[in-house]
């Protein structure tokens, strides 16, 4: 079964540094997402992306966050100036459509901000 | 806004049946989904209810009643590997309607 892949699996950074989290969504999927999960808490929606632009974003997705599809396969999340509270698991996901009943999640990148 | 309430923990023994409830307060949504998450893993899709009623997928079934603002996930013939967190989620119709809003999750522990 097709999978969403993410790199790196674990990223450690210093507060104030920029990080880029990378994802390869499923090839025939059209909608891409980033979600985050702070340890022990629920999964939270950050942003959805379709046709090379943001479709929807949450209040969490402020000016320090940005997303990009630099080529035909990769999808990235950039955090410009990391804060301690950005430490979380970041999941990339994709779906065939925006209204798809099934969203496929990647294995996640654990971001630790020191 | 949206609010989804689930029990925080449920325990059961192998072979048993367990029901995980999800009550919600939301102005509207496209459907109720259920995801499973093993410790340290990614959420994986289990089921989706667009309409009221029961949807069955093998050992798992899901139910939705929009009039009661209530849904549940039913797990039958429990196995040790079913020990995981289970999240209900909805897609609100605001903005583009693409966001999944998750509940806080229910940790299921299955013992032998």
């Amino acid at each position: 079964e097709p999978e969403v892949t993410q790199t790196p699996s674990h990223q450690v950074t210093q507060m104030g540094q920029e990080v880029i989290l990378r994802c390869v969504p499923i090839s025939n999927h059209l909608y891409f997402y980033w979600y985050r999960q702070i340890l022990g808490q629920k999964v939270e929606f950050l942003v959805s992306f379709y046709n090379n632009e943001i479709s929807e974003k949450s209040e969490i997705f402020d000016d320090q966050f940005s997303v990009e599809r630099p080529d035909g396969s990769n999808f990235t999340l950039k955090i410009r100036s990391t804060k301690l509270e950005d430490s979380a698991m970041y999941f990339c996901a994709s779906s065939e459509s925006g209204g798809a009943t099934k969203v496929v999640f990647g294995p996640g990148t654990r971001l630790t901000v020191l | 806004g949206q609010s989804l309430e689930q029990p925080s923990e449920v325990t059961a023994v192998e072979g048993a049946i367990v029901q995980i409830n999800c009550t919600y307060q939301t102005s509207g949504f496209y459907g109720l989904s259920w995801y499973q998450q093993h410790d340290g893993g990614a959420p994986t899709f289990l089921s989706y209810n667009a309409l009221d009623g029961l949807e069955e997928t093998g050992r798992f079934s899901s139910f939705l009643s929009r009039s009661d603002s209530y849904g549940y996930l039913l797990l039958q013939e429990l196995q040790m590997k079913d020990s995981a967190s289970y999240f209900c989620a909805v897609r609100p119709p605001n903005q583009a309607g693409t966001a999944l809003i998750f509940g806080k999750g229910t940790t299921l522990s299955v013992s032998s």
Side-chain angles (χ1 to χ4, degrees):
Chain A
E1 189 166 337
E3 295 179 338
V4 175
T5 59
Q6 292 185 241
T7 54
S9 57
H10 193 181
Q11 174 90 47
V12 181
T13 190
Q14 295 291 323
M15 191 169 55
Q17 294 297 302
E18 174 182 287
V19 295
I20 298 176
L21 310 183
R22 292 181 167 80
C23 167
V24 178
I26 293 173
S27 61
N28 66 333
H29 284 185
L30 299 178
Y31 279 79
F32 316 127
Y33 312 88
W34 285 100
Y35 286 81
R36 80 170 186 190
Q37 186 176 33
I38 295 170
L39 189 63
Q41 298 187 23
K42 66 178 181 179
V43 179
E44 298 176 293
F45 170 76
L46 293 178
V47 66
S48 61
F49 191 85
Y50 169 74
N51 200 27
N52 283 319
E53 61 182 25
I54 289 174
S55 181
E56 189 169 4
K57 61 182 180 179
S58 72
E59 292 176 352
I60 302 169
F61 194 87
D62 61 21
D63 291 344
Q64 71 165 145
F65 292 93
S66 62
V67 290
E68 191 180 28
R69 186 151 166 86
D71 54 45
S73 59
N74 291 283
F75 179 52
T76 62
L77 174 70
K78 182 190 290 186
I79 309 176
R80 253 179 285 282
S81 178
T82 50
K83 300 179 281 209
L84 295 176
E85 53 265 37
D86 293 329
S87 294
M89 182 74 91
Y90 287 81
F91 292 105
C92 176
S94 67
S95 64
E96 292 180 352
S97 69
T101 60
K102 179 178 178 180
V103 176
V104 181
F105 286 78
T109 293
R110 179 162 297 284
L111 177 65
T112 302
V113 182
L114 303 175
Chain B
Q2 298 79 36
S3 172
L4 296 154
E5 296 295 327
Q6 305 177 233
S8 57
E9 292 182 11
V10 174
T11 58
V13 297
E14 274 187 304
I17 299 173
V18 73
Q19 178 174 311
I20 299 174
N21 297 324
C22 175
T23 57
Y24 56 85
Q25 292 179 357
T26 174
S27 55
F29 60 93
Y30 290 117
L32 184 70
S33 302
W34 288 92
Y35 284 77
Q36 178 192 60
Q37 185 181 35
H38 284 99
D39 218 20
T44 55
F45 173 82
L46 288 178
S47 70
Y48 176 76
N49 292 74
L51 304 173
D52 283 9
L54 191 68
E55 292 285 340
E56 297 181 78
T57 310
R59 294 188 297 114
F60 295 176
S61 303
S62 58
F63 173 83
L64 174 63
S65 170
R66 288 179 184 266
S67 58
D68 295 323
S69 299
Y70 164 72
Y72 66 72
L73 179 69
L74 189 74
L75 299 87
Q76 303 182 72
E77 300 172 22
L78 280 175
Q79 303 173 10
M80 297 288 284
K81 67 178 182 179
D82 297 329
S83 293
S85 291
Y86 293 84
F87 295 86
C88 58
V90 296
R91 271 192 311 118
N94 56 299
Q95 295 190 53
T98 57
L100 268 177
I101 306 301
F102 285 82
K104 293 183 179 179
T106 298
T107 301
L108 171 63
S109 300
V110 181
S111 58
S112 56

